[in-house]
Amino acid sequence: MTPDERNEVSEAVAAGRRALASLEEAADALESASNWGAFDLFLGGAISSLIKHARLGGAREALEAARDDLYDFTRELRDVSDIEVLRMDVGALATALDVLFDNPFVDLYVQKKIEDARDNVAAAIRATQTVLARLEAVR
């Protein structure tokens, strides 16, 4: 391997590690939102809905950072195309409905969105770990 190739691999590994750290932060934020969602579904009210949506706001920020880091990683690895774009879009209407008309149907909808986002993040973590392992084996 040439020095330039080694340098490119090192840059890709560094970008992959940043992406993995961001994804793990997003997973933690979604876990917190999910826990509050479950509480809201079974025992909550307006206050728990507000807390849940505050946690969702933090999860959105973490997902945006993870998405940016994944884009950087994929730029470093032009051949990585199987990492899905991460998004979590609960929507303003669902947020308003959840807080104003707190009921199990809206809570279930929001909880499903959180779970879908968690699944996407978990898949992205696995894909990133796989690619990183291959890169580190090459170094």
Side-chain angles (χ1 to χ4, degrees):
M1 183 179 293
T2 69
D4 286 341
E5 290 172 332
R6 267 192 218 113
N7 186 44
E8 288 180 23
V9 169
S10 292
E11 288 175 359
V13 167
R17 287 181 181 158
R18 284 190 305 274
L20 189 57
S22 292
L23 286 165
E24 288 169 347
E25 183 178 330
D28 290 344
L30 286 167
E31 180 70 24
S32 177
S34 178
N35 291 340
W36 277 101
F39 179 82
D40 189 34
L41 184 60
F42 296 110
L43 301 171
I47 300 296
S48 62
S49 290
L50 288 170
I51 294 170
K52 172 181 65 182
H53 285 285
R55 296 293 192 264
L56 284 171
R60 276 188 202 97
E61 291 173 10
L63 286 169
E64 288 172 13
R67 184 175 43 234
D68 291 345
D69 287 340
L70 279 172
Y71 285 146
D72 290 344
F73 185 37
T74 57
R75 269 195 301 270
E76 294 290 336
L77 297 168
R78 302 247 183 239
D79 59 341
V80 175
S81 61
D82 61 340
I83 296 176
E84 294 179 23
V85 173
L86 297 175
R87 0 176 234 167
M88 184 185 66
D89 183 16
V90 174
L93 179 60
T95 300
L97 287 173
D98 191 26
V99 173
L100 297 174
F101 302 107
D102 189 49
N103 69 66
F105 298 109
V106 175
D107 290 344
L108 278 170
Y109 171 77
V110 172
Q111 192 67 15
K112 174 71 172 117
K113 290 292 191 178
I114 294 169
E115 296 306 318
D116 290 347
R118 286 177 64 196
D119 292 345
N120 287 340
V121 168
I125 287 172
R126 286 189 303 274
T128 302
Q129 288 171 331
T130 299
V131 172
L132 270 174
R134 280 191 247 154
L135 282 172
E136 290 172 344
V138 169
R139 282 200 320 182

